[in-house]
């Protein structure tokens, strides 16, 4: 390339014939721009700008000097400078401005060269030294529901009253904060944040916030917020004082300290709300009944001194499992039983049964938030709950409920102490009775044909037959099951020796417009008492007796005769059995207190032999026409009339049979009972 270029130059000179005019191409220097403004530069920091030098002709520019001059020349530093620019070549000059102070600086860049027309070119240099502006302000406006107060000058924050611990974190948007802003036009470095003072450990950044070890750099007009929190360090110290100090590289305001103070909020006892949240029926075919919703427990907050009475608000029946809860809602720790400071953290629970239907009690039920027990007896129960927080502050409350069948009419038969004797309770529908003879309704069959196979007598045997024959039912009163009777408890002499029948709307029976009567009967159904070889029953020296006859046994015992071979009335060799001593209780409108307790039978008719059906009582139910007819708008109360001693025999046992009553008639394919 160098060789070819040389040849070209030779040819060009040879062809021109213009001689010395070649040497007259003038050097021309271009300089751009003709001034540099560095603007604001942080004191001590550097900013570099450039100036471009051009040789604008086909000859070299030779520099004699390139200098920065003027009183503030020291603030501007010139990089390397060329001595010559070849033809049509260019070069860049670098000038660095480093302000030594917060002031304006000017200087001149002077370029001297062999440009014949502009031998000296001056470029104005200007710049300003600037500092950041560190502004720190405490902030706690009501507009963001901030808890606490602040003073701007001198800056301070009062956090107000706070508990010593809190399981519920403070909302970072609602605590006092420090607002840090760089109000200058050059960057600010915030170097450190330090808590100090006597109670420095009680104050800190909100746990969601961290301040980086190396500090934070803020551009011009940038800023950030630092939420703070106050946590008293001891229940024994009431007031707390400290400081928070922030430092920066703003030379005029390198450090800002804000005074901090706060006050201990004394520990409060937990809120308490004992609830009966669930009832699991003894009858496994029934669904549990739940009472744990918010609308249930909200009414139990701040219970009165005597506790809350849930007797009318919880359907607990004798034998049901009741589930008690101190919290009702397991998901939200701030609801129901909860501590103002700690939520449910550290809470302890203590449950005690203090009263049951037999009287005062003191039975521990457990020390967990939820306990359960079985309410076996009809009557009222009281349970006490004590809750303590982690610092020993406690509250106690109690709740009451009633175990009863919550229906309008409840009839219950009990024969405690006579295990082996199977008695059956019968409730007869008024329309099943003919001519005021209660026994006409007894064992009334499911006899209305396929379209309406309703029995007028509900009892253990009829209930069993109904269960085994689809379409059989106890559809009493109006259409639908709301007013139908139900057998809640059945016993064959081998369980709790209680039977229970209940129903709603007894006034719905067809005969009840102006009042009607429900007969209550008890059937001595079977006797399996062991041993089966009791003493023989002797009457007048003869070992023959009739069922129920008084014989030479103890006065409470009666003859149960072996059946004669001809199948006639039981008579002959008999044995001594004590008569079960049943009691019928009648309850109205869900009450746990019986309206009547009737021993069966009266003393004149001692129970001695199976298969006797006693007429125990008549319940006169006020009619639909009487609803609301009294002066006070109420309904006249039902009346219970214990019956005069009367009985009939149904299903006397078969020849050679056990001591059980046997069906003695067939209705369709169903073995049934007829009155003898
Ligand atoms: Ca507490
Ligand atoms: Ca029974
Ligand atoms: Ca019905």
């Amino acid at each position: 390339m160098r060789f070819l270029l040389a040849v070209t130059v030779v040819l060009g000179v040879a062809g021109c014939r213009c001689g010395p005019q070649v040497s007259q191409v003038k050097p021309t220097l271009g300089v751009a721009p003709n001034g540099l403004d560095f603007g604001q530069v942080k004191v001590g920091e550097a900013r570099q700008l450039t100036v471009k030098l051009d040789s604008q002709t086909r000859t070299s520019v030779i520099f004699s000097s390139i200098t920065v001059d003027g009183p503030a020349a020291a603030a501007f530093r010139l990089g390397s400078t060329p001595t010559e620019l070849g033809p049509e070549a260019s070069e860049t000059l670098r000038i660095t401005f480093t302000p030594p102070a917060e002031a304006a600086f000017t200087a001149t860049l002077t370029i001297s060269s062999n440009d014949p027309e502009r031998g000296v070119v001056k470029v104005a240099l200007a710049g300003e030294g600037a500092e950041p502006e560190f502004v720190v302000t405490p902030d706690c406006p009501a507009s963001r529901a901030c808890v606490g107060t602040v003073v701007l000058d001198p800056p301070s924050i009062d956090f107000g009253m706070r508990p010593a611990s809190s399981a519920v974190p403070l909302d970072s948007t609602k605590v006092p904060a420090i607002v840090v802003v760089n109000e200058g036009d050059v960057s600010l470095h915030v170097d450190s944040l330090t808590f100090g003072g006597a109670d420095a450990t009680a104050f800190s950044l909100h746990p969601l916030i961290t301040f980086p070890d190396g500090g934070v750099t803020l551009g011009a007009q940038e800023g950030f917020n630092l939420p703070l929190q106050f946590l008293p360090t001891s229940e024994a110290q009431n007031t707390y004082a400290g400081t928070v100090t922030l430092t920066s590289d703003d030379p005029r305001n390198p450090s800002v300290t804000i005074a901090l103070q706060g006050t201990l909020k004394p520990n409060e006892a937990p809120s308490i709300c004992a609830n009966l949240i669930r009832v699991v029926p003894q009858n496994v075919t029934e669904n549990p009944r739940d009472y744990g919703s918010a609308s249930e427990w909200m009414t139990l907050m701040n219970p009165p001194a005597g506790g809350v009475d849930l007797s009318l608000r919880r359907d607990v029946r004798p034998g049901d499992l009741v589930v008690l809860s101190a919290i009702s809602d397991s998901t939200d720790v701030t609801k129901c039983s909860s501590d103002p400071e700690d939520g449910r953290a550290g809470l302890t629970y203590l449950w005690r049964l203090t009263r049951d239907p037999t009287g005062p009690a003191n039975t521990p039920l457990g020390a967990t938030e939820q306990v359960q027990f079985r309410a076996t007896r009809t009557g009222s129960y009281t349970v006490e709950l004590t809750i303590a927080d982690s610092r020993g502050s406690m509250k106690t409350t109690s709740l009451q409920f009633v175990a009863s069948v919550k229906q309008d009419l409840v009839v219950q038969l009990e024969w405690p102490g006579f295990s082996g004797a199977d008695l059956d309770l019968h409730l007869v529908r008024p329309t099943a009775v003919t001519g005021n003879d209660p026994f006409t309704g007894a064992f009334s069959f499911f006899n209305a044909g396929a379209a309406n196979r309703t029995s007028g007598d509900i009892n253990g045997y009829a209930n069993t037959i109904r269960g085994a024959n689809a379409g059989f039912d106890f559809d009493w009163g109006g259409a639908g099951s709301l007013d139908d009777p139900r057998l809640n408890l059945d016993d064959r002499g081998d369980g709790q020796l209680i039977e229970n029948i209940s129903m709603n709307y007894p006034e719905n029976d067809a005969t009840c417009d102006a009042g009607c009567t429900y007969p209550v009967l008890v059937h001595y159904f079977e006797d399996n008492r062991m041993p089966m070889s009791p003493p023989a029953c002797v009457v007048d020296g003869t070992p023959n007796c009739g069922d129920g006859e008084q014989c030479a046994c103890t006065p409470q015992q009666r003859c149960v005769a072996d059946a004669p071979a001809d199948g006639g009335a039981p008579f002959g060799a008999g044995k001594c059995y004590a008569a079960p001593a049943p009691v019928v209780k009648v309850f109205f409108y869900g009450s746990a207190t019986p309206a009547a307790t009737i021993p069966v039978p009266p003393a004149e008719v001692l129970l001695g032999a199976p298969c006797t059906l006693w007429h125990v009582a008549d319940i006169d139910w006020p009619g639909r026409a009487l609803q609301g007819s009294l002066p006070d708008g109420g309904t006249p109360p039902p009346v219970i009339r214990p019956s005069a001693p009367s009985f009939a025999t149904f299903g006397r046992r078969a020849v050679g049979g056990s001591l059980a009553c046997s069906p003695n008639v067939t209705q369709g394919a169903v073995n049934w009972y007829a009155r003898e």
Side-chain angles (χ1 to χ4, degrees):
M1 285 298 288
R2 186 167 293 168
F3 170 76
L4 286 175
L5 184 64
V7 170
T8 303
V9 170
V10 170
L11 287 177
V13 171
C16 174
R17 297 178 193 270
C18 41
Q21 285 179 337
V22 171
S23 63
Q24 288 179 0
V25 175
K26 295 173 186 170
T28 302
L29 174 65
V31 177
N34 56 13
L36 292 180
D37 186 351
F38 289 85
Q40 287 187 312
V41 177
K42 190 171 182 176
V43 173
E45 291 189 351
R47 185 175 180 202
Q48 191 176 75
L49 296 176
T50 58
V51 171
K52 192 176 179 198
L53 307 178
D54 285 303
S55 169
Q56 294 174 338
T57 60
R58 289 163 50 185
T59 185
S60 295
V61 172
I62 312 292
F63 297 101
S64 50
S65 71
I66 302 177
T67 58
V68 174
D69 310 300
F76 299 90
R77 187 172 57 78
L78 187 59
S80 61
T81 53
T83 54
E84 179 179 349
L85 273 182
E88 299 181 340
S90 64
E91 188 90 25
T92 297
L93 283 184
R94 298 176 203 287
I95 298 102
T96 304
F97 172 56
T98 307
E102 192 177 8
F105 298 90
T106 56
T108 305
L109 172 67
T110 305
I111 303 162
S112 304
S113 72
N114 61 347
D115 182 333
E117 294 185 2
R118 293 174 68 215
V120 175
V121 177
K122 292 184 183 295
V123 176
L125 305 179
E128 186 181 345
E131 295 288 8
E133 198 173 341
F134 184 39
V135 178
V136 179
T137 318
D139 176 83
C140 189
S143 59
R144 60 175 170 89
C146 177
V147 178
T149 53
V150 300
V151 173
L152 296 182
D153 191 18
S156 68
I157 298 175
D158 185 344
F159 290 82
M161 294 182 83
R162 292 292 310 158
S165 74
S166 175
V168 185
L170 291 168
D171 184 341
S172 66
T173 68
K174 292 178 180 163
V175 295
I178 301 172
V179 179
V180 179
V181 177
N182 174 17
E183 291 189 355
D185 295 321
V186 293
S187 69
L188 169 75
H189 191 257
V190 184
D191 303 322
S192 69
L193 175 141
T194 322
F195 289 93
D199 305 311
T201 54
F203 303 94
S204 62
L205 287 175
H206 188 277
L208 292 178
I209 304 296
T210 52
F211 186 84
D213 286 344
V216 179
T217 299
L218 291 176
Q221 309 300 327
E222 287 181 352
F224 57 80
N225 288 350
L226 293 172
L228 303 182
Q229 75 172 11
F230 162 56
L231 202 57
T233 51
S234 163
E235 292 276 0
Q237 182 180 343
N238 271 329
T239 60
Y240 295 78
T243 58
V244 61
T245 300
L246 292 106
T247 60
S248 77
D249 64 354
D250 177 353
R252 283 165 308 188
N253 195 20
S255 169
V256 176
T257 294
I258 298 174
L260 307 175
Q261 69 179 72
T263 308
L264 171 75
K265 182 169 182 278
N267 178 47
E268 286 182 48
S271 62
I272 191 166
C273 107
N275 193 5
L276 197 172
I277 58 166
R278 179 167 247 232
V279 177
V280 184
Q282 187 179 35
N283 181 348
V284 294
T285 63
E286 280 183 52
N287 290 326
R289 297 182 283 277
D290 286 313
Y291 304 98
S293 68
S295 60
E296 292 285 355
W297 63 253
M298 273 194 290
T299 61
L300 306 177
M301 299 294 294
N302 306 311
V308 292
D309 188 351
L310 300 178
S311 299
L312 297 178
R313 293 163 56 184
R314 299 291 182 268
D315 186 1
V316 182
R317 300 169 201 163
D320 288 351
L321 189 74
V322 299
V323 182
L324 305 163
S325 174
I327 61 172
S328 292
D329 178 348
S330 62
T331 54
D332 190 337
V333 301
T334 68
K335 298 290 170 24
C336 195
S337 294
S338 174
D339 189 73
E341 293 82 23
D342 299 330
R344 291 184 187 140
L347 290 189
T348 56
Y349 309 87
L350 198 62
W351 295 90
R352 214 157 50 89
L353 181 67
T354 58
R355 176 170 282 274
D356 69 17
T358 66
N362 186 7
T363 311
L365 295 176
T368 47
E369 60 197 26
Q370 185 169 307
V371 297
Q372 61 184 42
F373 73 102
R374 200 168 285 284
T376 50
R377 292 174 182 274
T378 295
S380 184
Y381 294 77
T382 304
V383 172
E384 193 179 87
L385 167 66
T386 298
I387 298 183
D389 71 9
S390 60
R391 276 154 280 174
S393 283
M394 58 177 72
K395 265 190 192 158
T396 296
T397 189
S398 64
L399 67 80
Q400 249 184 74
F401 68 90
V402 158
S404 65
V405 177
K406 309 287 195 301
Q407 297 224 309
D408 293 343
L409 171 59
V410 180
V411 185
Q412 184 162 301
L413 171 68
E414 305 170 10
W415 63 105
F418 289 89
S419 184
D422 179 3
L423 307 188
D424 284 353
L425 177 64
H426 289 234
L427 181 68
V428 176
R429 183 185 187 182
T431 44
V433 175
T434 308
N436 288 329
D437 176 356
F439 297 108
T440 57
F443 285 110
S444 51
F445 187 64
F446 298 93
N447 56 0
N452 183 10
R453 295 184 288 183
T454 290
S455 174
D457 174 9
I458 184 166
N459 56 79
Y461 186 78
N463 202 54
T464 303
I465 294 301
R466 174 240 205 159
N469 291 272
F472 287 29
D473 60 30
F474 298 98
D475 187 2
W476 294 12
S481 59
L482 267 184
D483 51 10
D484 294 348
R486 66 189 191 201
L487 182 66
N488 302 298
L489 294 174
D490 188 26
D491 194 281
R492 298 186 174 178
D494 53 1
Q496 59 199 338
L497 306 178
I498 295 177
E499 297 202 348
N500 181 292
I501 293 170
S502 66
M503 66 182 298
N504 275 327
Y505 308 110
E507 66 273 15
N508 281 2
D509 191 83
T511 66
C512 286
D513 282 352
C516 55
T517 298
Y518 284 82
V520 178
L521 310 168
V522 171
H523 196 204
Y524 187 5
F525 190 78
E526 186 171 13
D527 205 323
N528 283 320
R529 279 179 284 175
M530 298 297 286
M532 292 304 288
S533 53
C537 187
V538 176
V539 180
D540 295 335
T542 307
N544 289 328
C545 59
D547 278 352
E549 196 172 4
Q550 177 74 63
C551 48
C553 309
T554 61
Q556 292 76 30
Q557 294 184 325
R558 288 293 182 274
C559 169
V560 176
D562 296 340
D566 62 3
F571 186 85
K575 297 186 176 66
C576 292
Y577 284 102
V583 167
V584 167
K585 294 176 179 171
V586 182
F587 304 84
F588 295 133
Y589 304 117
S591 170
T593 305
T597 300
I598 309 163
V600 181
E604 296 84 351
V605 186
L606 285 171
L607 191 59
C611 307
T612 308
L613 182 67
W614 274 272
H615 177 212
V616 176
D618 287 313
I619 299 167
D620 293 337
W621 199 260
R624 272 171 298 179
L626 301 175
Q627 301 280 340
S629 61
L630 292 177
D632 63 359
T635 298
V639 174
I640 302 160
R641 287 184 287 117
S643 94
S646 70
F647 55 89
T649 303
F650 282 77
R652 203 188 304 255
R653 64 187 183 275
V655 174
S658 68
L659 301 181
C661 310
S662 305
N664 57 350
V665 63
T666 300
Q667 304 261 15
V670 177
N671 291 326
W672 204 248
Y673 289 85
R675 185 180 183 176
E676 286 184 10

